[in-house]
Amino acid sequence: MLGVQPEADGQLMCLECERWLRALGAHLRVHEMTAAEYRYRHELPATMALVSADLRETFAAHGRKHYPERREVLRPDEATRARSLRKARQAMRDSAARAGTRRLLREQAAGRALRQSQEAAARHEAQVRALGYTGLAAFFAAHDSYPDRYIAGLLEVSESTAGTLRSRHAGDREVTGAARRAQQTRRSTRRTYDERAARAGFTGITELLQFHTGRPDREIAQLLGVSVQTANRIRRDPRMTNPDPG
């Protein structure tokens, strides 16, 4: 029968001549074939031992008995191990210096980054769906005025990651994260100076600066209640002379 090596009473049957033997290795010379050829011809696994079970156990017991001694003999000394380690490290450096290796490493890194990004996107989509939104775009549209810190708490991510997600999925992609906070700060500052200029009789900081073109910074400082240095900085800030602070 192909694919099966018959064995009984501690002996194997030769599939060529049907003789029963404890080991087939030497016997196969009679048939002018090697063990590999015998296995291939009768469709036997390449790892199948051509000896009986009790003989295999005898060999294994002998190996277990003498293995500790062989291990001590084969153990390399410290100098040999250090030399092998140096050679392995040098081989790694030489391999990393090859253009093909560098390209392969870049491709692998890009693939890992893409997989991680896709997995993170799927995880965030599942989170916002669990909160009752159809997706990240709808979630950020509903939380447009909320700070990144609040978004980070909902999605269980860092504040910088929340800003990155907002930039990818929010409607206003140009102003998000740190840029959004900077814009909010500029607008708050602009409102403060507009209010102070209004108390001085002007419609806003832009009109005040236009009216005082060519006049000393000291006059602007007195009207706005700031230092001369701050007044000079306000005068040179193009956002203050622009009617739309942006």
Side-chain angles (χ1 to χ4, degrees):
M1 183 185 302
L2 295 178
V4 176
Q5 175 61 64
E7 181 175 357
D9 299 330
Q11 291 185 327
L12 302 177
M13 186 183 76
C14 175
L15 296 175
E16 291 291 321
C17 62
E18 298 186 357
R19 288 184 58 185
W20 290 89
L21 303 161
R22 295 190 67 194
L24 300 180
H27 170 72
L28 292 178
R29 298 196 191 103
V30 175
H31 302 295
E32 297 181 351
M33 65 173 58
T34 64
E37 292 170 344
Y38 175 82
R39 294 188 184 95
Y40 179 79
R41 179 170 179 172
H42 297 285
E43 299 182 4
L44 299 175
T47 57
M48 177 178 286
L50 299 181
V51 296
S52 61
D54 60 338
L55 198 56
R56 291 198 301 271
E57 180 58 32
T58 300
F59 293 156
H62 184 272
R64 287 193 296 269
K65 178 180 177 181
H66 295 281
Y67 175 72
E69 298 177 3
R70 294 179 182 177
R71 182 176 57 185
E72 294 301 326
V73 171
L74 296 177
R75 185 192 301 274
D77 55 29
E78 292 298 327
T80 302
R81 294 177 60 187
R83 185 165 56 252
S84 299
L85 183 60
R86 286 196 300 271
K87 289 182 178 180
R89 288 175 175 171
Q90 184 60 45
M92 292 176 62
R93 286 193 291 268
D94 294 342
S95 176
R98 299 189 184 99
T101 302
R102 292 198 300 270
R103 183 174 61 255
L104 178 61
L105 292 175
R106 287 195 299 269
E107 292 174 354
Q108 291 175 344
R112 286 194 299 270
L114 178 61
R115 288 194 299 273
Q116 293 173 356
S117 177
Q118 292 173 342
E119 292 172 358
R123 185 170 62 254
H124 298 321
E125 285 285 349
Q127 286 177 310
V128 296
R129 290 181 187 279
L131 293 174
Y133 299 92
T134 58
L136 284 168
F139 172 81
F140 281 107
H143 293 81
D144 181 65
S145 61
Y146 287 77
D148 293 340
R149 187 184 311 106
Y150 181 79
I151 302 297
L154 290 178
L155 299 182
E156 299 178 357
V157 296
S158 65
E159 188 172 346
S160 61
T161 301
T164 301
L165 289 173
R166 188 196 293 271
S167 67
R168 291 177 180 173
H169 301 282
D172 183 9
R173 299 192 175 203
E174 295 296 331
V175 184
T176 55
R180 179 184 292 274
R181 291 192 295 273
Q183 185 189 66
Q184 292 173 348
T185 300
R186 290 195 301 269
R187 288 177 174 173
S188 176
T189 303
R190 174 64 182 258
R191 285 195 299 269
T192 299
Y193 291 136
D194 279 338
E195 292 173 357
R196 294 184 181 184
R199 288 197 295 268
F202 299 91
T203 58
I205 187 65
T206 301
E207 182 181 353
L208 185 149
L209 294 176
Q210 290 175 349
F211 182 82
H212 290 82
T213 300
R215 298 191 181 187
D217 296 335
R218 182 175 60 259
E219 293 185 12
I220 298 176
Q222 291 174 350
L223 291 174
L224 298 179
V226 297
S227 65
V228 176
Q229 291 83 359
T230 302
N232 181 265
R233 186 167 62 251
I234 294 172
R235 185 197 292 273
R236 290 184 288 106
D237 191 343
R239 291 187 295 267
M240 296 299 174
T241 57
N242 183 4
D244 182 9

